[in-house]
Amino acid sequence: MLLEKDTIRLNDITVYFWEIKETRSELEDLCNKFGIDISHITNIKSNQRACEKLATLLIIALVLGNNAKLCHTDEGAPFIKDSLTHISISHSAHLVAVAFSSSPIGIDIEHKAEQVLRVREKFLNDRELSIIDYNDKIINLRLWTAKEAVYKVHGKKGIDFKNDIYQDTHTKSIYRASDGLKNVLYNVEHYQYDDNFTIAIATPRVVKSKK
């Protein structure tokens, strides 16, 4: 179901959540009710994966209308056909999040699982490993979600989470991503959802020119 009361609003960014409590067939029925094309989902074997995609389509339809068509770039980034609205999608456990903005955006949501501590050496560089407490799950989750969100808004496959996306040494809410062609700064905002999920929202940092 759409969790309207938990919507996040930040400047021109709006993030909607769907808590998957419905069965796959119930979500399919809802999509059919709204006239949403789900023909590309019927062959997905995993019910969890199918439910995530169905919930995503429902959020988009409820926010942008039934005619909004979800597409993906060659890099895999989602976009709405013939629309100026930028979107980003994430899901974890039973929760799906879709962010809408007039500018490029990336979102990541992660459940507070032990996994982040087991894989931290895959996404933290040597400097980050030296200053981030191994046992501080929240801080590790914040770094992980921030890098995931930056990766999505940066829009280039092949960049290395560990060495190409890193936190600014002076400002913790600013991250830098480098892919060999461009070096971009991003603002990252973090949120906690019902104490179980960490959310990161990344947007390109706009540097105001000096007059």
Side-chain angles (χ1 to χ4, degrees):
M1 62 179 179
L2 186 70
L3 303 175
E4 293 188 74
K5 68 180 181 63
D6 296 314
T7 300
I8 293 175
R9 290 182 172 84
L10 175 68
N11 299 322
D12 72 331
I13 299 167
T14 308
V15 182
Y16 292 90
F17 299 95
W18 189 288
E19 185 177 10
I20 301 176
K21 290 186 175 181
E22 303 87 350
T23 64
R24 177 173 180 168
S25 60
E26 288 172 338
L27 288 171
E28 289 174 339
D29 288 344
L30 280 173
C31 285
N32 289 328
K33 178 181 177 181
F34 285 106
I36 301 170
D37 179 16
I38 59 172
S39 58
H40 59 294
I41 298 177
T42 54
N43 291 329
I44 296 177
K45 293 182 179 180
S46 168
N47 285 330
Q48 177 65 24
R49 182 66 175 150
C51 285
E52 291 166 354
K53 287 185 172 293
L54 291 165
T56 297
L57 293 177
L58 283 164
I59 293 175
I60 292 171
L62 289 169
V63 175
L64 299 179
N66 298 356
N67 294 324
K69 182 174 177 58
L70 176 63
C71 302
H72 293 82
T73 67
D74 292 340
E75 301 284 351
F79 69 94
I80 303 299
K81 184 179 180 180
D82 300 326
S83 174
L84 296 177
T85 300
H86 294 261
I87 69 166
S88 186
I89 301 164
S90 187
H91 41 75
S92 181
H94 58 275
L95 204 62
V96 174
V98 182
F100 300 82
S101 176
S102 61
S103 303
I105 185 172
I107 187 171
D108 188 57
I109 179 170
E110 296 290 345
H111 190 267
K112 61 172 187 181
E114 295 292 342
Q115 179 187 1
V116 66
L117 301 181
R118 298 197 300 268
V119 300
R120 67 194 298 265
E121 292 187 359
K122 293 183 178 181
F123 66 88
L124 297 181
N125 59 43
D126 291 341
R127 184 187 68 84
E128 292 163 342
L129 285 169
S130 68
I131 61 176
I132 302 299
D133 182 0
Y134 173 86
N135 294 309
D136 193 330
K137 189 188 301 182
I138 294 299
I139 295 300
N140 281 276
L141 263 177
R142 282 176 169 252
L143 266 291
W144 186 7
T145 54
K147 292 195 177 194
E148 285 275 7
V150 167
Y151 176 83
K152 290 179 179 179
V153 69
H154 193 70
K156 292 290 183 182
K157 282 187 176 181
I159 60 174
D160 180 25
F161 274 40
K162 188 170 184 175
N163 297 306
D164 296 336
I165 303 175
Y166 48 93
Q167 191 178 44
D168 184 82
T169 54
H170 303 292
T171 309
K172 292 182 178 180
S173 62
I174 298 176
Y175 284 72
R176 186 183 298 274
S178 176
D179 58 22
L181 296 176
K182 59 181 180 179
N183 195 315
V184 185
L185 291 176
Y186 295 95
N187 289 324
V188 176
E189 297 283 346
H190 276 101
Y191 298 86
Q192 290 299 127
Y193 182 87
D194 76 4
D195 296 328
N196 290 313
F197 295 88
T198 296
I199 304 163
I201 299 172
T203 54
R205 181 171 174 77
V206 177
V207 179
K208 296 181 180 180
S209 59
K210 295 181 180 180
K211 294 183 179 180

